[in-house]
Amino acid sequence: MPHIRTRFAPSPTGYLHIGGARTALFNYLYARHCGGKFVLRIEDTDRKRSTPEAIDAILWSMEWLQLEWDEGPFYQTERMDLYRERIQALLNAGDAYPCVCTPETLDAKRQAALAEKRKPMYDGTCRPPERAAVPLPEGVPYTIRFRSPESGATVVDDKVKGRVEFHNTELDDLILARSDGSPTYNFCVVCDDIDMGITHIIRGDDHLSNTPRQMQLYRALGSEPPVFAHVPLILGEDKKRLSKRHGATSVTAYRDMGYYPDALNNYLVRLGWSHGDQEIFDAREMVEKFDIDAVGKSSAVFNPEKLLWLNAHYLKERPMSRLAEDTLPYLAAKGYPIPEDRSWLEKIVETLRERAKSLVELVDMAHYFLADTVEIDEKAGRKHLVPETRNLLQEVSVRLRNLADFNEDGIEQVFGDIVAERDIKLGKVAQPVRVALTGSTVSPGIYEVIDVLGRGATLARLAASIRYIDTHSSAAK
């Protein structure tokens, strides 16, 4: 179906939200699945709220998520001539008319309707009795309204919601252009979708109420409406619409937290869509298997823990050399010098990858490898860096200094000899050394840690731990 054309049309009033990212993903996947085109359009007509920074953030997020668009980005602010031309065509045909009702008058009517428990709708004060072109007023401000049908119904055969019927008596005459001449959202959207040949619109179901008005505009402009698919919104775990109170909601925030775009895409595609019981999809599989018909009608609940689980999967599947490179911006963000020896960085990463679920967590875990010194956890120090372990630490230090082959096998032999000679359990020597080298009682295998740290750093930290014991022992007396 090469004629299929979808679009993603964000308003650049902030960062790309998780919900917007899912909408972009669904449109991208459907276009790719059908062999069609995916169009990116920036709806920046809200001059007060749209910012260049938000546009850059949206474009960056789309690129980071690898949602490559085929056409665009188009900007509505660069298309004003088209909107004026289409408004004039509607005026000429009698499908639009000028309205001189002031904002104060309209607000008074709205308040009166609310007080009488009526739906606040425009009452048609300026609507011509017949469908005919009307001269534009002179000397007074006016808006342009669409002359909507007064009877019958507008039916949306939605690919997700099914058949939804709107009675036209419930739809008042939409403003197409404000008194300053600027076109409104619903009108611009329709003009753009017609001009860009959009065949399928996949968007959040919060836009469903706009759809009947837009369908009427399509037809008034001589075009058949595209196919609509309104996807249920993403909810937080409290079953309310996902927002900042539920945690991070922007794509950039997940990048900053060390998530992979593949993990985020994989998670988002499963929010409202399924393919059997399969949970993990690579990019090729998503394109191959995605279809609107498999999108559910129920809202999906955003589960941060499941997303983190998916991210851990992608992190562990990453080739070691690439995973080490992936950590570089996060190392820089923490202020660590970038290791010139990438093989050493790979050794660090290899010891930690099974424990880490994100790149930020991986870098945080690597602090004792990368920092010049470590801070001893108070509780761990009280338990393991005590006078009774001083001689053990000293002996480990001496034997490691004299070790001919400084590798994991040689290091293991040192510990094995000490344990055998002293007839003690491995933990009695390994835990004090672990605290001395990492500052805590939790780390990868102690032989790995020592091997990665290297002889010089290991001996320096063992010496520091002995001083720690001496200092704290004196203070206790």
Side-chain angles (χ1 to χ4, degrees):
M1 295 182 288
H3 65 286
I4 297 293
R5 290 173 64 83
T6 68
R7 49 80 159 171
F8 178 52
S11 297
T13 57
Y15 293 107
L16 181 59
H17 185 274
I18 286 294
R22 185 188 65 166
T23 297
L25 177 64
F26 280 12
N27 280 281
Y28 167 84
L29 291 176
Y30 189 65
R32 292 286 179 270
H33 176 77
C34 298
K37 298 293 185 182
F38 175 54
V39 178
L40 177 60
R41 184 172 74 229
I42 305 297
E43 299 188 338
D44 58 345
T45 52
D46 187 341
R47 298 294 186 89
K48 292 181 180 179
R49 298 178 62 210
S50 299
T51 66
E53 293 77 16
I55 292 173
D56 288 344
I58 289 169
L59 296 179
W60 178 89
S61 296
M62 293 285 288
E63 290 170 356
W64 184 73
L65 290 169
Q66 300 163 37
L67 303 181
E68 299 175 0
W69 53 90
D70 299 297
E71 297 175 18
F74 300 104
Y75 296 87
Q76 286 187 329
T77 49
E78 298 174 357
R79 300 169 59 79
M80 290 298 170
D81 288 345
L82 170 69
Y83 308 140
R84 295 188 190 98
E85 178 186 317
R86 294 287 170 82
I87 286 174
Q88 189 59 54
L90 292 175
L91 286 167
N92 293 343
D95 288 320
Y97 61 91
C99 174
V100 296
C101 294
T102 65
E104 293 76 16
T105 299
L106 294 173
D107 186 60
K109 291 180 178 182
R110 173 182 173 80
Q111 295 303 323
L114 291 172
E116 296 169 12
K117 297 184 179 180
R118 291 184 288 110
K119 185 176 180 179
M121 299 171 58
Y122 179 62
D123 60 6
T125 298
C126 297
R127 179 185 173 114
E130 302 293 335
R131 183 173 174 269
V134 177
L136 297 178
E138 295 184 8
V140 293
Y142 62 88
T143 60
I144 301 295
R145 287 185 181 270
F146 175 63
R147 184 186 177 92
S148 61
E150 292 183 284
S151 61
T154 300
V155 176
V156 182
D157 287 317
D158 195 89
K159 293 287 285 182
V160 175
K161 298 289 184 183
R163 180 184 172 91
V164 186
E165 188 172 302
F166 296 86
H167 294 289
N168 290 336
T169 54
E170 295 294 308
L171 305 171
D172 57 2
D173 289 355
L174 179 72
I175 293 178
L176 306 181
R178 304 176 186 89
S179 57
D180 63 0
S182 60
T184 57
Y185 164 79
N186 278 299
F187 182 67
C188 294
V189 165
V190 171
C191 292
D192 290 336
D193 288 337
I194 292 173
D195 191 58
M196 296 174 188
I198 302 303
T199 63
H200 289 69
I201 294 176
I202 307 171
R203 59 188 180 184
D205 63 6
D206 52 333
H207 287 280
L208 182 60
S209 60
N210 292 325
T211 305
R213 301 175 186 278
Q214 293 173 1
M215 290 179 68
Q216 292 174 1
L217 283 169
Y218 281 107
R219 290 176 176 136
L221 290 167
S223 296
E224 272 303 299
V227 175
F228 288 96
H230 288 91
V231 181
L233 298 180
I234 301 173
L235 304 181
E237 293 183 289
D238 58 0
K239 302 300 176 67
K240 295 181 180 179
R241 186 170 179 173
L242 189 67
S243 67
K244 290 181 180 178
R245 70 177 178 274
H246 298 108
T249 58
S250 72
V251 171
T252 49
Y254 283 95
R255 184 280 312 267
D256 293 343
M257 292 190 297
Y259 285 71
Y260 279 102
D262 290 342
L264 191 54
N265 279 336
N266 192 157
Y267 182 69
L268 290 177
V269 80
R270 288 286 287 109
L271 285 179
W273 174 82
S274 62
H275 184 80
D277 296 327
Q278 187 172 344
E279 290 289 348
I280 297 174
F281 299 83
D282 61 28
R284 179 191 56 79
E285 287 179 306
M286 281 192 275
V287 169
E288 178 185 311
K289 297 176 178 179
F290 182 83
D291 195 0
I292 297 175
D293 293 338
V295 174
K297 296 182 179 181
S298 301
S299 294
V301 175
F302 190 84
N303 183 342
E305 290 301 316
K306 188 170 182 181
L307 172 55
L308 193 59
W309 170 81
L310 265 176
N311 198 64
H313 165 80
Y314 282 94
L315 187 150
K316 290 173 176 58
E317 292 292 309
R318 198 80 163 162
M320 195 61 64
S321 60
R322 292 183 66 186
L323 180 57
E325 289 293 317
D326 294 340
T327 66
L328 297 183
Y330 300 93
L331 293 173
K334 289 285 186 180
Y336 293 126
I338 303 300
E340 293 183 9
D341 183 356
R342 291 291 194 270
S343 62
W344 181 62
L345 182 58
E346 287 181 31
K347 287 178 69 175
I348 293 175
V349 166
E350 188 171 8
T351 66
L352 300 171
R353 68 183 297 170
E354 290 303 317
R355 296 166 177 261
K357 295 180 180 179
S358 73
L359 290 168
V360 165
E361 189 176 29
L362 181 61
V363 169
D364 285 343
M365 287 179 176
H367 70 94
Y368 47 80
F369 289 122
L370 301 164
D372 293 331
T373 59
V374 294
E375 184 176 341
I376 304 297
D377 175 76
E378 185 178 345
K379 184 178 178 181
R382 269 201 317 270
K383 183 175 181 179
H384 296 287
L385 299 186
V386 292
E388 291 78 10
T389 60
R390 189 185 191 282
N391 288 340
L392 273 173
L393 294 173
Q394 184 69 50
E395 187 170 353
V396 170
S397 181
V398 170
R399 295 197 184 202
L400 289 177
R401 179 179 288 109
N402 296 326
L403 184 62
D405 296 321
F406 198 91
N407 54 41
E408 282 192 47
D409 289 340
I411 294 164
E412 184 176 2
Q413 185 63 51
V414 164
F415 279 75
D417 290 346
I418 293 174
V419 165
E421 292 166 13
R422 293 185 174 238
D423 192 22
I424 58 176
K425 292 183 177 180
L426 178 62
K428 289 291 184 180
V429 60
Q431 278 299 75
V433 172
R434 178 175 281 110
V435 174
L437 300 183
T438 71
S440 78
T441 56
V442 179
S443 78
I446 192 62
Y447 312 138
E448 287 181 279
V449 171
I450 294 172
D451 181 45
V452 174
L453 274 175
R455 195 193 310 260
T458 298
L459 296 178
R461 291 186 187 182
L462 288 172
S465 70
I466 292 170
R467 292 194 297 273
Y468 177 96
I469 293 171
D470 292 343
T471 300
H472 285 73
S473 298
S474 299
K477 293 178 182 178

